[in-house]
Every structure is written in C-alpha cells, then in structure tokens.
Amino acid sequence: MTLPDDITVKDVDVLIIGGGTAGPMAAVAAKEKDPTASVMLLEKANVKRSGAISMGMDGLNNAVVPGHSTPEDYVKEITIANDGVLLQKGVMTYAENSFKMIEKLDAWGVYFQKDETGEYDMKKVHHLGTYVLPMPEGHNIKKILYRRLRRHRVTVENRYQAIRLLKDQDGNACGCISLNTRTAEIVVIRAKSVVMCTGAAGRIGLPASGYLYGTYENPSNCGDGHSMAYQAGAELTGLECYQINPLLKDYNGPACAYVTGPLGGYTANSKGDRFIECDYWSGQMMMEFYNELQGGNGPVFLKLDHLAEEIIEEVEHVLHTNERPSRGRFHDGRGTDYRTKMVEMHISEIGFCAGHSASGVWTNEKGETTIPGLYGAGDMASIPHSYMLGAFVFGEICGTNAAEFAEGRDFAELDVEYITAERDRILAPLKRTDGIPPSQFEYKVRRLVNDYLQPPKVTKKMDIGLERLIAMEDDIQHLYARDAHELLRANEAQHIYDCAQMAAVASMYRQESRWGLYHHYVDHPETNNDDWFCHVQLYKNEAGEMVCKKRPIDPYVVELDDNEKNAYAQMRVQQTG
Amino acid sequence: MPIASQISMVPVVVDDEKCIAEKGCRTCIDVCPLDVLWINEETGKAHMKYDECWYCMPCETDCPTDAVSVNIPYLLR
Ligand SMILES: Cc1cc2nc3c(=O)[nH]c(=O)nc-3n(C[C@H](O)[C@H](O)[C@H](O)COP(=O)(O)OP(=O)(O)OC[C@H]3O[C@@H](n4cnc5c(N)ncnc54)[C@H](O)[C@@H]3O)c2cc1C
Ligand code: SF4
Ligand code: SF4
C-alpha cells in the first residue's frame, strides 16, 4: 500500500519538533555529533521569533557558576523546593553542564552581566543559594541561535504543527504527522529518531482576564507535545504538580522578582509589608501568596516605590525592553508608575511545565522518554525547575543522543492505514460547513479547568470537571474551521482537551497534598510520605484508558540533612515583637 | 449548527501609509508566533486578521518601516 498523493513524505535522520529554546540547541548538537546526518527543525511558528524567548530573556534563573555554588548545592536546593519528588540524577546532569553551557552561549555572543572584574555578576534570589545571572541585553539570543542553525545547515521548516508521533513495528519513534498551518497540507516526516521540544502546556487554564491568548506562556505552547506523547503511549509525570506563577494582574507577565529582588523590590501585601521570605517561585511560596490573597491582606503587589530613582530606571530599562517589552505600555495605560504606586499581582492560570515546576513528559538524565528513539527537552519534559538554561542543556544532550540513536538505523515502513485515518481526522473540521468554532470549544475546556481543576483541589469538584470534559468528547466531531488557520486552532484545541483531562486524572490519583499550592488537595490536606513519596506516571493503557501508576524515586545522588528538608516549608515571614 | 460572526477590536494596528507589503515585505507576518497577521486582500497591506495576540512585539520590532503598533488587548487594559 502506498500513501495517497495529497500526503507528502519527507525523510530526515533526526527530527526536532519545536524550535524555541531547546529545539535549536538540539538541532545544532545533533549536527555537531554527526555532521553527515540530516537534521530537520520543525516549528509551528517561525524559529526566528518563536517560543518563550521570542523577544529575549531577562536572565538565567538557575545558573550553577563555580565560586558561587556547586552542583551538589543546586541539587539540594531543587530537591527541597520540589518536596523530594524528583529524578536527582537528571537535575545533577543539568547542574554539572550548566556552566559549560553558559560559556558556550557566551562564546556564541550571548551577553551575560559581568562585574568590574569581568566575573559573572551573580544574584541571590533562591531561598538558599545564589543562582541568578542577569542578561539585561538578552534580546539577541534568538538571532544568535538562528545563525548557528544556518551555519550547521539544519533544515528549518516553519509553520508546521506536529500532530501525531509515528512508531515503527518495534515501538521506536520514527517520525510524525504534521499540518502545514498556512495551506492545510498534511506532511509526514519520517525520521530515525525524534526530539520533542514543544514547550509548556500553557493554554490549559483561562487567564483571569478571560482573553484566551493572554497566557503566561507563549500561547503557541498549548500542550501539543504532551498530547502527542500521550497518544503515542509515552508516560507523563508529575502532572498534578501544576505550574502556577505569581504574575502582574491582567498583563499576566512575570512581575519579575528575579530582576527586581536583587535591586530591593519585593512582593508585598496591601499594607506594603513583605510576607514571604523568598521570592523564588515554588509551590510553597505560591501557597503563601494564595493565603495572603484570600486572607484579607490582599491584593498582593510588587513593591518598588521605596527605591531610588536610578534603580527604578534600571528596572524599567530591563523590564520594558527585553523579555516582555509591552509591559511598559500596560503600565502607561493604567497610569502605573513604579515610583509612586505598587503594582497589583495575581495568580496565573494552571499549566504543565518542567521549566518552572516539575510536570511533563517523563524524561531521564539522558533526555530519553519511555518510547525508544523519542527524546524530550525543555518545558515539555520533566527535569524540574530547568528554566531557559535547562532547556539549552537538555536540548544539547537530547540532540547528541538522538543523533547517536539514528546512526546505522533504516527508515521505518510507513503505516499507511494509520496515516490516512489521521489525515481524515485532522482535516475533518475543514470539510464541515458549520459547527462548533475552535475558540468556543477551547474556551469551554479552559473555563471548566478553572472552575473545577485549579487548586484548592476538591475530589467532588474534580469529578464533575472530568465528567463535563468527557461529555465534550462528542463535540469534537462537530469542530468547524473555515480556513487553515482555524484548522490549526481546532487541532490545538483537541490537545488542550487532552491536557485538561490529564490534569484531572493525575490530581485525583495523588491522594495527599504536596508542593504547596501546586497540589493543594483539600480532601487530603497532609503530605503523606509513607504512601506518596513517589512519582505519579500517567499514560494510556492497552484499552485506551487514561490511567496512572506509581514510580519509585531513584536513589538520591545527594543526600539531605534532616534540618535542610524543611527549608522551603518556612516561607512566611516570622512576625517579630 | 448555525453560526454567527462577532466583531472584535484587535490590538495590533498597521499604518497603511508606511507598510510596504506591495514591495514584497512580509516580515511581520513571518515572525508572528501566533500567525495572526495576514495580507488584507482589499488593501494589499498587512493587518491583524485574528484576535489571538500575545502582545509580544516581534511584529513591531522587526518591521522595517515602523508601520506596526502593538497595543494591549482590550480585555487586559
Ligand atoms: C514570560 C516568560 C519569562 C521567562 N523568564 C525567564 C527568565 O528570565 N529566565 C529563565 O531562565 N527562564 C525564563 N523563562 C523560562 C524559559 O524561557 C523556558 O523554560 C524555556 O525557554 C523553555 O524552552 P523550550 O524550548 O522548552 O520552549 P520554547 O522556547 O517555548 O519553545 C517551544 C517551541 O515549540 C513550538 N511548538 C509547540 N508545539 C509545536 C508543534 N505541535 N509543532 C511544532 N512546533 C511546536 C512553539 O512554537 C515554540 O517555538 C520564562 C518563560 C516565560 C514564558
Ligand atoms: S513588516 Fe511592516 S512593512 Fe512589512 S508587511 Fe509588515 S507592516 Fe508592512
Ligand atoms: S504582538 Fe506578537 S502575537 Fe501579536 S501580532 Fe505581534 S508578533 Fe503576533
């Protein structure tokens, strides 16, 4: 059997899906490992300006720099911040490669802040150690990555949404089915190994503003990778450990404790008082934030009005020109001036993200998922708190390992029946003449997520939420798209729908509370280390059902003292006098 | 299932006088991570076709003629 004419097939040795942060690094690393291999970088947007760092970045949130901290210190910090549930080996691999990656990026021309002596100008934001390295001139990072892609002759394909992964008869990843989002053409990419770098699932919950695209994450990161991995049979992990961030109200961008903290700014309650010890984002910190919001001392604010003029100017320069440059306009529109007014903050919608939290597709210290030949890096994978530098480090590791996996392999035979059935499914909304617009379907899913699945988590609520979501299954056959762009949204909406169900199923499985607000389960308010000191793996079983199982935590590579374990539990500022 | 069209005030504005799309420029359209800028069939200029914007600004920053202005979406203002 051969594929119908309307389906194009392209062959590459290594396929990288997602060209934001981890993706370009993976592509370059694959080429560095094997210059003769053909490497394709498939991107839903345009690699020149895609992903979380499309405009640049304010700094490295987790740089392990000799003289300031050791890999062991860092592993400890992240272990504590993550309530002990993590693959320490993975975090250690990151920590050991962190400085090398900074030097590599520095050599490529990325500008990191240095002090008078030419050393990296490290800042303390975390609870225990010093890991933040500002990059106030961080706008050129995408340009620098793009230059590397060109130099290494990576094939870049923009405006393709990967929708389904392909597996060969032995269960190895062997490519993907993708959609050209401008022409609605189906293109099959056949590959010998695949790296997924599709970013966070940032479009599961609804921002408080009600604007579907006013998310914290780049809305292009809607959970395609999570859904694809799930549908292909991979395990996901820690999905109940949501990403929830403290943000500027309505604008929904980071308030930027990492930028303002070292300069004297802090998170305050409505009285202007500091109430958390440490502004580093963790579930425990978010719990205190939430308590303050709900407890009568809210709203919560970013306080800068006590700072000197030159400091405020510095803050404005970084925050209004770099990573989220429209921020200044937002403040101008409301007449907010850091000099005279505290800036209102709020809690973000929920999401899955390894970069900020610990939720995503399971990956080990080699970047391997549970599907052979399929690797995952960055926000969509599961190495916790990895942020931008983690995306680069694991991008490099995955690219290298994927190139090695591809070596000596042949292209798999294509499953024509599966591919044609998927083509029909993917294109179906375009064939209808009326029906449910993707935006309405998406809004409803995300509204249900807010109503029933965001913390505080309550079994009865999550039951209802899941029931209402499952009832929407029938709506999928009525999704209606008028053009290729709406078809992209229709396919995204289905991935968002999968992610919403995953959030419910994983949350109800872990019958304890952990990670502060991230998994604050009212029916099971205590942390229960006897039964739940483990990973929760979510996957699709043989019968096609969404189920969970426990995965034991691998032996630690860095042990913690008993008095260290609770460091993040003491987030609230102690009252004196 | 009948449908209706609703109007929406979009955040991104293109100055038709400055836009040089007729000379082949597609920069803003190329860089937008959400693919919401398209050529307006009537004017031949770039415009925001879908109200799905992250107010991230590559379109404005990369436009060679300063024709693009990104405003904060109305619901957030
Ligand atoms: C607003 C904001 C501020 C941040 N600030 C900092 C900071 O100051 N310091 C720091 O260290 N970290 C920061 N982070 C975190 C850091 O940026 C991320 O952890 C990191 O960039 C993630 O890299 P990634 O490659 O996983 O995802 P991204 O860089 O987001 O890339 C994902 C890419 O995948 C593409 N994609 C998605 N689905 C598909 C599909 N189906 N097919 C093809 N392509 C697809 C997307 O278009 C996107 O380009 C911030 C994040 C955000 C959102
Ligand atoms: S980048 Fe500027 S000049 Fe080019 S098409 Fe867009 S608006 Fe017009
Ligand atoms: S601000 Fe960003 S999302 Fe909005 S149109 Fe410009 S590039 Fe696209």
Side-chain angles (χ1 to χ4, degrees), chain A residues 8-113:
Chain A
T8 309
V9 179
K10 293 184 183 176
D11 288 344
V12 291
D13 293 323
V14 180
L15 168 64
I16 320 279
I17 305 175
T21 313
M25 189 58 77
V28 169
K31 274 290 197 185
E32 280 173 347
K33 173 78 191 165
D34 180 2
T36 63
S38 55
V39 176
M40 181 190 283
L41 182 57
L42 192 80
E43 168 56 53
K44 187 155 76 171
N46 183 318
V47 292
K48 280 186 184 157
R49 288 293 197 184
S50 59
I53 61 170
S54 72
M55 289 300 283
M57 196 96 304
D58 292 342
L60 297 176
N61 288 348
N62 54 347
V64 185
V65 172
H68 296 274
S69 61
T70 63
E72 285 74 20
D73 295 335
Y74 180 77
V75 171
K76 271 191 191 177
E77 179 109 27
I78 299 304
T79 303
I80 301 164
N82 231 41
D83 273 352
V85 176
L86 77 172
L87 179 71
Q88 266 201 353
K89 267 185 291 181
V91 178
M92 181 55 100
T93 302
Y94 162 72
E96 286 170 348
N97 288 284
S98 158
F99 190 61
K100 253 191 298 182
M101 182 53 73
I102 297 173
E103 288 186 309
K104 180 171 187 163
L105 292 167
D106 197 333
W108 285 5
V110 178
Y111 175 80
F112 300 105
Q113 190 162 297

Side-chain angles (χ1 to χ4, degrees), chain A residues 174-453:
Chain A
C174 67
C176 79
I177 306 177
S178 71
L179 173 73
N180 181 318
T181 65
R182 295 248 172 104
T183 63
E185 186 196 1
I186 299 287
V187 177
V188 169
I189 321 282
R190 204 152 60 141
K192 298 172 183 172
S193 61
V194 180
V195 183
M196 291 217 285
C197 304
T198 48
R203 236 162 85 197
I204 315 179
L206 196 60
S209 68
Y211 189 57
L212 284 177
Y213 295 81
T215 47
Y216 168 72
E217 294 289 344
N218 185 324
S220 170
N221 298 341
C222 62
D224 289 342
H226 299 75
S227 168
M228 258 190 290
Y230 169 75
Q231 297 293 353
E235 288 177 21
L236 291 93
T237 193
L239 300 181
E240 69 284 11
C241 180
Y242 295 164
Q243 161 180 235
I244 306 173
N245 297 331
L247 303 177
L248 291 184
K249 177 105 175 23
D250 298 334
Y251 182 74
N252 228 17
C256 274
Y258 302 164
V259 172
T260 61
L263 298 170
Y266 57 88
T267 310
N269 61 23
S270 59
K271 297 172 186 139
D273 294 334
R274 197 192 274 269
F275 64 96
I276 34 181
E277 288 279 0
C278 160
D279 282 334
Y280 180 67
W281 294 1
S282 66
Q284 296 84 342
M285 180 271 200
M286 280 312 299
M287 191 74 215
E288 294 305 340
F289 195 114
Y290 174 81
N291 287 339
E292 204 73 1
L293 270 183
Q294 300 295 322
N297 282 331
V300 169
F301 297 89
L302 171 68
K303 183 168 160 51
L304 301 170
D305 56 7
H306 56 291
L307 299 177
E309 175 62 26
E310 64 269 23
I311 304 272
I312 301 235
E313 279 169 23
E314 187 179 342
V315 167
E316 281 174 339
H317 172 69
V318 175
L319 294 185
H320 300 179
T321 63
N322 214 9
E323 146 190 312
R324 295 296 273 134
S326 60
R327 174 177 177 151
R329 289 174 198 186
F330 172 74
H331 290 324
D332 288 346
R334 294 188 176 190
T336 308
D337 184 335
Y338 299 146
R339 292 160 187 82
T340 52
K341 233 185 186 177
M342 299 197 295
V343 192
E344 190 184 358
M345 292 176 66
H346 199 64
I347 290 183
S348 74
E349 62 284 354
I350 69 156
F352 302 146
C353 181
H356 298 84
S357 177
S359 35
V361 177
W362 172 265
T363 50
N364 64 14
E365 70 280 8
K366 297 182 187 131
E368 296 164 337
T369 67
T370 55
I371 296 177
L374 181 67
Y375 301 79
D379 287 355
M380 62 79 60
S382 65
I383 306 300
H385 296 231
S386 56
Y387 289 96
M388 181 174 64
L389 199 56
F392 283 135
V393 166
F394 271 96
E396 183 175 64
I397 290 170
C398 288
T400 308
N401 291 343
E404 208 171 279
F405 188 92
E407 250 168 66
R409 294 184 73 86
D410 289 325
F411 288 110
E413 207 174 307
L414 290 172
D415 182 344
V416 175
E417 209 177 320
Y418 175 71
I419 293 170
T420 39
E422 276 302 316
R423 172 201 60 188
D424 295 345
R425 187 189 67 80
I426 293 165
L427 297 179
L430 212 47
K431 309 278 190 244
R432 300 186 183 111
T433 50
D434 62 18
I436 304 171
S439 56
Q440 268 187 331
F441 178 87
E442 179 178 335
Y443 178 86
K444 188 159 165 177
V445 171
R446 293 172 61 185
R447 199 267 300 165
L448 290 173
V449 167
N450 279 28
D451 280 356
Y452 296 108
L453 304 182

